[in-house]
Amino acid sequence: MKTKLFSLVLMLTVIVGYAQQDAQYTQYMYNTINVNPAYAGSRGALSLFALHRAQWVGLDGAPVTNSFSVNTPFNNSNLGLGVSIVNDEIGPSTSNSLSADISYTIPMSETLKLSFGVKGTANLFNIDVTKLNPGDQTDPQFQNIKNEFNPNIGAGLYLHSDKGYVGLSVPNFLEMNAYNDNEVAIYKEKMNFYLIGGYVFDLSPSVRFKPAFMTKAVEGSPLQVDVSANFLLIDKLVLGLAYRWSASASAMAGFQISDAFYVGYSYDFETTELDKYNSGSHEIFLRYEIFKKNNKMITPRFF
């Protein structure tokens, strides 16, 4: 009963309206293309990425996210291209977005590169308020929304080498409201600002260590800070821990099945009162990459 009541409160927050954040990821270091278009083509391979995230398992109406992306360098130029699809469900609302990315890279030195990127996004937003069982079906605030279309544009910078990276991005510049009757907006799209970074340390010939962070800021929501520490063992096995400030702690694992295939998994433990209402969050992804014959991966780049 407590879980159902809490679920109702969770879904009502979607209906009343708030500063909507982008989909949340624990393994953000492998899913950079979704938040920073300048990442497109930076791995020097045709990279396909699929992810499934089930957040707050056991809580009715909890977020479920599915994403797929592909990005690649364009021929032998400094251009990179990317396409991504994200399906995000929270309570009675469903958001489907299709994004296209283009990047341009400038060599800063023999090892350091600076990439600029632009992202264009088409988003379809749906809401089924009947899942809330409202008492007054005629209340205009409780009406279904079907295929509310919102275009958007974003941009990013990505400074990177084979050892580390730092990036700054805003995936969506345009702030939009869905179902705005001058009194209430059910859905508000706000600008999300991302600052990411990470560096790889060679501890031994068979052990590499990578600390990383992601900071996300959006108007109307608390500042989100994620920090993580991953170890790559014998260029195959990745083990790590992560912490989302005042929200959750995570355990991560990954395995380089072959030069082409990498699979990763994470489990989040809630550190807030939410831990009483759910059994944690699960995230799994698969990455497949095709390298040029003269650019075959020798060791994993680890990001």
Side-chain angles (χ1 to χ4, degrees):
M1 182 63 179
K2 289 174 65 178
T3 300
K4 291 183 178 179
L5 287 174
F6 193 87
S7 301
L8 179 60
V9 173
L10 174 71
M11 289 191 288
L12 280 173
T13 61
V14 179
I15 295 298
V16 173
Y18 59 96
Q20 175 69 24
Q21 295 196 48
D22 295 337
Q24 178 173 280
Y25 305 101
T26 294
Q27 299 171 106
Y28 52 87
M29 65 291 293
Y30 302 107
N31 197 29
T32 307
I33 189 68
N34 274 358
V35 301
N36 193 333
Y39 185 81
S42 66
R43 288 187 58 81
L46 175 64
S47 182
L48 292 87
F49 184 93
L51 177 145
H52 172 75
R53 177 178 176 83
Q55 190 167 328
W56 304 333
V57 174
L59 183 63
D60 292 341
V64 175
T65 303
N66 294 286
S67 68
F68 174 80
S69 66
V70 56
N71 74 93
T72 182
F74 184 68
N75 291 332
N76 294 317
S77 69
N78 291 329
L79 291 175
L81 303 175
V83 175
S84 58
I85 300 171
V86 178
N87 169 262
D88 198 25
E89 298 182 8
I90 306 175
S93 69
T94 301
S95 176
N96 293 290
S97 63
L98 172 64
S99 300
D101 307 288
I102 184 169
S103 70
Y104 185 80
T105 299
I106 300 174
M108 304 294 288
S109 68
E110 291 185 2
T111 59
L112 192 63
K113 299 177 181 179
L114 178 61
S115 300
F116 303 84
V118 177
K119 177 187 291 287
T121 300
N123 180 269
L124 286 177
F125 180 76
N126 295 273
I127 190 164
D128 182 4
V129 298
T130 60
K131 293 181 179 180
L132 295 173
N133 297 316
D136 183 2
Q137 297 283 347
T138 64
D139 189 332
Q141 187 175 346
F142 293 94
Q143 300 299 309
N144 289 337
I145 291 177
K146 296 294 184 182
N147 297 323
E148 177 84 20
F149 175 72
N150 289 306
N152 220 313
I153 188 169
L157 299 173
Y158 188 63
L159 183 67
H160 57 102
S161 69
D162 288 340
K163 286 290 187 180
Y165 65 93
V166 62
L168 179 65
S169 61
V170 180
N172 297 307
F173 280 124
L174 304 180
E175 298 187 354
M176 299 181 181
N177 294 339
Y179 184 63
N180 185 2
D181 63 356
N182 297 320
E183 294 182 1
V184 63
I186 287 181
Y187 173 90
K188 296 181 180 181
E189 179 70 36
K190 295 289 186 179
M191 284 195 295
N192 289 244
F193 298 84
Y194 290 88
L195 177 64
I196 61 173
Y199 193 83
V200 179
F201 298 90
D202 295 322
L203 302 184
S204 75
S206 60
V207 180
R208 301 163 76 188
F209 170 60
K210 184 191 68 179
F213 73 90
M214 180 181 74
T215 301
K216 179 167 68 171
V218 57
E219 180 187 351
S221 295
L223 181 70
Q224 179 180 310
V225 180
D226 293 44
V227 292
S228 63
N230 281 288
F231 292 88
L232 175 62
L233 310 175
I234 59 174
D235 291 334
K236 289 290 185 181
L237 178 64
V238 175
L239 297 174
L241 297 173
Y243 179 69
R244 179 168 298 119
W245 211 264
S246 299
S248 63
S250 308
M252 299 180 289
F255 190 73
Q256 191 75 45
I257 301 171
S258 66
D259 283 354
F261 283 101
Y262 179 82
V263 62
Y265 170 80
S266 68
Y267 177 76
D268 297 355
F269 308 82
E270 283 298 316
T271 59
T272 68
E273 289 296 313
L274 274 175
D275 68 338
K276 299 177 181 178
Y277 305 96
N278 72 92
S279 56
S281 303
H282 301 269
E283 189 175 287
I284 187 168
F285 73 84
L286 178 66
R287 184 175 67 197
Y288 177 76
E289 296 184 307
I290 301 174
F291 292 81
K292 296 180 181 178
K293 292 182 179 180
N294 61 349
N295 195 30
K296 184 177 176 64
M297 182 179 67
I298 299 174
T299 59
R301 205 186 68 179
F302 208 10
F303 60 86

